[in-house]
């Protein structure tokens, strides 16, 4: 339990941030899996239409510091290689 008002506020704040980050990570994982499934099923055109959304979602997660910017960049590069 928090000892001060500011510590209690920080605890509440971190719970909210944790919920947001978990939602974002779940969305990232789901989109990446959809994309990889499309590529492995040889549905390249559908994968190409989904690709900008995947890249955008990774960039937003990195901007919000949900994931590290280098990780986002690495994932984007590897997913773009799959299309090629």
């Amino acid at each position: 339990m928090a000892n001060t008002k500011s510590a209690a506020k920080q605890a509440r704040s971190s719970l909210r941030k944790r919920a947001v980050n978990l939602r974002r990570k779940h969305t990232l994982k789901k989109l990446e899996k959809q994309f990889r499934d499309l590529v492995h099923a040889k549905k390249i055109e559908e994968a190409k239409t989904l690709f900008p959304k995947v890249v955008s979602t990774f960039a937003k997660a990195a901007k919000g510091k949900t994931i590290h910017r280098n990780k986002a960049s690495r994932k984007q590069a590897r997913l773009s290689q799959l299309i090629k």
Side-chain angles (χ1 to χ4, degrees), residues 23-63:
R23 264 195 311 269
R24 281 185 185 160
K25 282 185 179 183
H26 177 72
T27 303
L28 285 173
K29 212 171 183 180
K30 188 176 71 173
L31 278 174
E32 183 179 2
K33 185 171 174 23
Q34 284 176 357
F35 181 80
R36 287 184 182 274
D37 289 344
L38 286 172
V39 171
H40 291 305
K42 309 287 187 204
K43 297 180 180 177
I44 302 299
E45 291 306 317
E46 291 177 38
K48 283 184 179 180
T49 58
L50 183 64
F51 184 69
K53 184 175 181 180
V54 174
V55 170
S56 170
T57 308
F58 270 106
K60 285 178 185 176
K63 183 180 178 188

